[in-house]
């Protein structure tokens, strides 16, 4: 235990939280934007997986990290649009579509991976590009802050930017307020002349973009190759954080931070001799207890109200 | 009048499925054109391959066996409107229960031994499924999230148990000891690998059909799926119903896992969540959670998988190409409005003609 504490109370550990937390935060924000407009994006996990692969394939084909990133984003947005089309135009249950997309991508990515790399497990044979790491000179000199905020991947700073932009847009702009109106009461929104469909499609595109960035981060920063099912529930963790944070962006961020903490512990402990199989379950236990605690609190709130 | 309407609705369902299948195969063909050297002959091999040899056709039924169990396990819950994704995790962890019985407990009777393994596996599956079920029934815990997290947790714990307690001493890969001969399910016919497990799958399908369509429990499940509020006000006790169907679902998944292992494996070799659960989920959706269409879908998907496998031996195209057909079918069949406007136009015309 003392050993664990000594591992946690370091600057390195804070940097690790950021490193493992970025894809989770992208996933949470993706879920948040969709949910604000009244749609549930159940396909985040699948979108992340697909764009993680497309980032590798795209940057391998074009030999350019930026173009690879754009291809990853495009594939993520396409999948998100498929979700929107199936639920809004063809009246399919969003859960069904989401599950179908997630199952599809987990197999189809293996299909593509094998087709282009001849390997069903990992894309190591494809020389793909990664996005640069950014060192901020003046920041590095400040203790703690320097370790956390300097020397991270490019997409980490993109994530920081979105953490500021997303709540600002949702809370302060006309667009954001309209989006909220669609989510709170679609009929009322439509009666005051808001084109609900159009708003929701725009939200799902943004949601797809955010999930795609999370996916691309996994293969263009966090790691530099794709391996099968590498998202490993990160998209669902974002979904869970949204379900718990509800409409509060701060609640969402704190929940995601807590989940990142568990992921970071795993990352740190995996260097020690604890069974790695048991260790991988730690973040999932964290999320599981999180949703249980959340529902228990709600349960007692409801009982209090009805008494 | 109403009977005619039901028949017509059913006809529409069949037509919709066939059109969806054509579109799915069309997309597959396009992908083949982009990837295979000789797309047309690959496509034909994929579609007719399983019929060319008795062994291949038997492979279809072998593939179908565990999928029937997982699909039924999903269908029972989905029909009640509960999106539980836990079947694949249960399938994995129950495999270890089977492995324990098949490697550690010697029962010198080749009927009793598999029976004990299958029964314990089923009971374990049912009990484990009660965890998310109870949380859902009592606190309304988000079951999508809880079951997904449990899947990953079962995988981690399962691998730990496998490596610590059940690991083989005679080979170096991550696998259990050899299953005892007495634990394996007997073959149905000579010349194929089809076992009694296939027969058990058919029995399970008949029992679930009877349960869903001929009993009060089935009626309650269908009503709660259609309208949870109505079900509540008509006195259906949601709490016990939710618990019961979770147990049944987990029980089916556990049996399926056991049957799969004792039919086609010599040792436990899974080191990640197998696709049986997720494919079963898709099959349940394709069959609209009704037993007969689910069985047809289970057969169709297994047929396609074997076809793709035969094709993949002679081309660079991997068997995962079937994911395209699966996804397209699920999306189009479960869509409310796909082809709906054509049907409505026709009904309108008929209405005008009939005055």
């Amino acid at each position: 235990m003392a050993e664990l504490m000594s591992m946690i109370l370091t600057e390195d550990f804070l940097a690790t939280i950021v490193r493992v937390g970025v894809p989770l935060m992208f996933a949470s924000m993706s879920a948040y934007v969709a949910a604000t407009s009244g749609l549930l994006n159940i396909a985040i996990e699948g979108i992340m997986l697909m764009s993680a692969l497309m980032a590798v394939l795209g940057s391998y084909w074009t030999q350019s990290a930026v173009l690879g990133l754009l291809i990853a984003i495009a594939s993520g947005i396409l999948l998100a649009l498929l979700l929107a089309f199936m639920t809004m135009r063809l009246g399919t249950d969003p859960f069904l579509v989401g599950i179908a997309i997630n199952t599809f991508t987990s197999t189809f990515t293996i299909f593509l991976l094998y087709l282009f790399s001849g390997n069903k497990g990992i894309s190591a044979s494809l020389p793909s590009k990664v996005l640069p790491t950014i060192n901020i000179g003046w920041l590095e000199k400040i203790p703690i802050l320097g370790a956390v905020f300097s020397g991270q991947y490019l997409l980490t700073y993109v994530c920081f930017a979105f953490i500021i932009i997303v709540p600002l847009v949702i809370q302060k702009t006309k667009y954001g307020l309209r989006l909220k109106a669609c989510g709170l009461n679609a009929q009322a929104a439509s009666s005051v002349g808001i084109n609900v469909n159009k708003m929701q499609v725009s939200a799902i595109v943004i949601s797809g973009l955010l999930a795609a960035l999370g996916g691309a981060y996994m293969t263009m920063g966090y790691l530099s190759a794709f391996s099968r099912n590498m998202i490993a529930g990160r998209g669902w963790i974002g979904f869970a954080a949204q379900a718990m944070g509800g409409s509060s962006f701060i609640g969402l961020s704190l929940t995601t931070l807590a989940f990142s903490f568990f992921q970071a512990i795993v990352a740190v402990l995996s260097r020690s001799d604890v069974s790695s199989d048991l260790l991988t379950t730690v973040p999932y236990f964290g999320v599981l207890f999180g949703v249980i605690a959340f529902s228990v609190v709600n349960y007692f709130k409801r009982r209090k109200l009805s008494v | 009048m109403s009977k005619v309407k039901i028949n017509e609705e059913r006809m529409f369902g069949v037509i919709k499925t066939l059109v969806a299948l054509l579109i799915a195969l069309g997309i597959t063909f396009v992908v083949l054109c982009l990837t295979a050297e000789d797309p047309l002959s690959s496509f034909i091999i994929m579609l007719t391959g399983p019929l060319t040899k008795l062994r291949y056709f038997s492979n279809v039924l072998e593939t179908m066996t565990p999928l029937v169990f997982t699909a039924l396990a999903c269908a029972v819950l989905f029909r009640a409107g509960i999106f539980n994704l836990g079947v694949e995790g249960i399938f994995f962890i129950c495999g270890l229960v089977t492995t324990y019985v098949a490697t550690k407990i010697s029962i010198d009777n080749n009927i009793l031994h598999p029976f004990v393994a299958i029964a314990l596996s089923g009971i374990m599956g049912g009990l484990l499924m009660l965890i998310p079920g109870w949380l859902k029934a009592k606190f309304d815990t988000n079951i999508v999230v809880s079951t997904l997290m449990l899947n990953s947790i079962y995988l981690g714990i399962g691998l730990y148990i496998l490596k610590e307690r059940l690991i083989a001493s005679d080979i170096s890969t991550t696998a259990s000891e050899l299953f005892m001969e007495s634990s394996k399910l007997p073959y149905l016919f000579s010349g194929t690998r089809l076992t009694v497990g296939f027969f058990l799958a058919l029995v399970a399908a008949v029992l679930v059909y009877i349960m869903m369509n001929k009993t009060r429990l089935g009626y309650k499940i269908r009503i709660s799926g259609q309208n949870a509020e109505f079900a509540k006000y008509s006195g259906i006790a949601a709490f016990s119903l939710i618990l019961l169907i979770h147990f049944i679902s987990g029980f089916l998944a556990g049996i399926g896992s056991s049957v799969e292992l004792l039919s086609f494996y010599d040792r436990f070799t899974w080191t990640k969540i197998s696709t049986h659960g997720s494919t079963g989920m898709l099959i349940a959706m394709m069959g609209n959670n009704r037993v007969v269409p689910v069985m047809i879908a289970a057969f169709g998907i297994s047929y396609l998988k074997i076809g793709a496998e035969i094709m993949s031996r002679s081309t660079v195209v991997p068997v995962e190409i079937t994911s395209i057909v699966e996804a397209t079918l699920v999306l189009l069949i479960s869509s409310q409005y796909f082809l709906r406007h054509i049907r409505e136009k026709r009904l309108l015309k008929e209405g005008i003609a009939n005055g």
Side-chain angles (χ1 to χ4, degrees), chain A residues 37 88 182 185-187 189-190 194-201:
Chain A
S37 80
M88 292 162 72
C182 293
N185 190 334
Q187 273 164 345
S190 147
I194 298 176
N195 187 338
V196 177
N197 272 351
K198 219 171 165 180
M199 294 301 290
Q200 287 186 332
V201 169

Side-chain angles (χ1 to χ4, degrees), chain A residues 13 74 191:
Chain A
F13 186 72
S191 72

Side-chain angles (χ1 to χ4, degrees), chain B residues 1-11 350:
Chain B
M1 180 62 207
S2 72
K3 186 144 193 184
V4 173
K5 216 172 167 188
I6 289 172
N7 274 337
E8 211 179 282
E9 191 68 26
R10 198 169 281 169
M11 263 313 284
E350 261 171 31

Side-chain angles (χ1 to χ4, degrees), chain A residues 28 237 240-242 244-245 250-260 290:
Chain A
S28 300
I237 290 177
Q242 190 281 319
M244 292 160 67
I250 295 177
L252 173 100
S253 308
L254 290 178
T255 321
T256 314
L257 191 65
F259 294 158
S260 312

Side-chain angles (χ1 to χ4, degrees), chain A residues 42 82 86-93 95-97 99-101 103-104 106-108 110-112 114-115 120 228-229 232-233 236-237 239-240 243 275-278 280-281 283-285 287-288 291-292 295-296 298-300 302-303, chain B residues 31 35 78 83 85 135 138-142 144-150 152-157 159-160 163-164 272 275 278-279 281-282 285 315-324 326-327 330-332 334-339:
Chain A
I42 321 278
L82 175 69
M86 290 310 302
T87 51
M88 292 162 72
R89 287 295 290 278
L90 289 185
T92 316
D93 188 295
F95 269 95
L96 263 164
V97 185
I99 294 166
I101 291 182
T103 326
F104 167 71
S106 80
T107 319
F108 190 66
I110 300 173
F111 172 80
L112 291 177
Y114 180 75
L115 213 55
K120 284 192 184 182
R228 65 191 286 166
N229 291 332
W236 287 110
I237 290 177
F239 182 77
S275 154
S276 64
D277 295 315
L278 286 184
T280 52
T281 63
Y284 305 117
F285 268 117
V287 177
L288 181 65
V291 283
I292 294 173
S295 63
V296 170
N298 274 350
Y299 171 76
F300 284 110
R302 275 201 305 275
R303 280 205 14 191
Chain B
V31 174
T35 53
F78 290 176
F83 282 107
L85 310 184
L135 288 168
K138 177 85 178 165
F139 300 115
D140 199 20
T141 306
N142 189 323
V144 174
V145 176
S146 68
T147 50
L148 273 164
M149 295 304 129
L150 283 170
S152 304
I153 291 170
Y154 291 151
L155 175 66
I157 294 178
L159 286 177
Y160 176 76
K163 287 173 189 170
E164 293 294 311
K272 44 185 169 282
T275 55
S278 56
T279 310
M281 206 150 67
L282 293 180
M285 292 173 187
T315 57
V316 292
V317 184
V319 351
E320 279 80 8
I321 191 166
T322 52
S323 62
I324 300 171
E326 289 170 6
V330 167
L331 290 179
L332 292 182
S334 51
S335 138
Q336 280 180 43
Y337 304 133
F338 173 58
L339 296 184

Side-chain angles (χ1 to χ4, degrees), chain B residues 48-333:
Chain B
T48 59
L51 295 174
T52 54
K53 273 187 201 165
L54 177 67
R55 188 165 56 86
Y56 290 157
F57 191 74
S58 163
N59 286 343
V60 173
L61 302 183
E62 289 155 21
T63 309
M64 181 179 165
T65 304
L67 296 180
V68 168
F69 285 105
T70 53
L72 291 174
C74 295
V76 171
L77 290 170
F78 290 176
R79 191 77 190 265
I82 297 172
F83 282 107
N84 178 314
L85 310 184
V87 167
E88 53 187 57
I90 301 282
F91 195 88
F92 178 82
I93 199 91
C94 287
L96 289 163
V97 176
T98 299
T99 305
Y100 183 79
V101 178
T103 58
K104 301 280 172 193
I105 300 178
S106 57
I107 302 171
D108 214 10
N109 181 324
N110 54 8
I111 296 174
L112 199 60
H113 201 176
F115 176 80
V116 170
I118 293 173
L120 283 181
S121 196
I123 292 168
M124 180 72 163
L127 292 177
L128 287 177
M129 203 57 124
L130 283 179
I131 299 171
W134 182 77
L135 288 168
K136 163 86 185 161
K138 177 85 178 165
F139 300 115
D140 199 20
T141 306
N142 189 323
I143 199 155
V144 174
V145 176
S146 68
T147 50
L148 273 164
M149 295 304 129
L150 283 170
N151 286 345
S152 304
I153 291 170
Y154 291 151
L155 175 66
I157 294 178
L159 286 177
Y160 176 76
I161 295 173
L162 175 65
K163 287 173 189 170
E164 293 294 311
R165 295 267 175 270
L166 301 167
I167 193 86
S169 49
D170 52 340
I171 52 169
S172 59
T173 48
T174 309
S176 75
E177 301 269 11
L178 283 171
F179 296 158
M180 292 176 206
E181 275 310 312
S182 60
S183 70
K184 289 185 186 166
L185 285 170
Y187 292 114
L188 269 185
F189 315 103
S190 57
T192 70
R193 288 172 65 229
L194 207 60
T195 67
V196 175
F198 180 69
F199 176 70
L200 291 178
L202 295 182
V203 171
V206 171
L207 289 179
V208 173
Y209 181 85
I210 293 171
M211 180 189 89
M212 293 302 279
N213 297 295
K214 309 284 177 203
T215 66
R216 283 171 63 189
L217 173 65
Y219 177 74
K220 287 178 188 171
I221 295 174
R222 284 180 284 147
I223 291 294
S224 354
Q226 277 161 13
N227 190 335
E229 284 297 298
F230 174 74
K232 200 170 95 189
Y233 289 115
S234 51
I236 291 175
F239 188 79
S240 54
L241 180 72
I242 292 179
L243 287 190
L244 187 57
I245 58 178
H246 272 87
F247 185 84
I248 294 171
S249 169
F251 188 69
L252 284 166
I255 292 181
S257 171
S258 196
V259 163
E260 166 80 356
L261 286 168
L262 300 180
S263 295
F264 311 118
Y265 290 73
D266 292 322
R267 24 175 125 234
F268 184 93
T269 52
W270 300 333
T271 51
K272 44 185 169 282
I273 297 273
S274 69
T275 55
H276 297 103
S278 56
T279 310
M281 206 150 67
L282 293 180
I283 289 171
M285 292 173 187
M286 275 177 224
N288 219 346
N289 307 322
R290 281 151 180 82
V291 176
V292 176
V294 161
M295 293 300 282
I296 297 172
F299 176 79
I301 291 301
S302 310
Y303 183 94
L304 214 71
K305 275 189 193 295
I306 296 301
E309 211 174 287
I310 297 169
M311 178 190 70
S312 72
R313 286 178 208 149
S314 56
T315 57
V316 292
V317 184
V319 351
E320 279 80 8
I321 191 166
T322 52
S323 62
I324 300 171
V325 177
E326 289 170 6
T328 318
L329 279 181
V330 167
L331 290 179
L332 292 182
I333 290 176

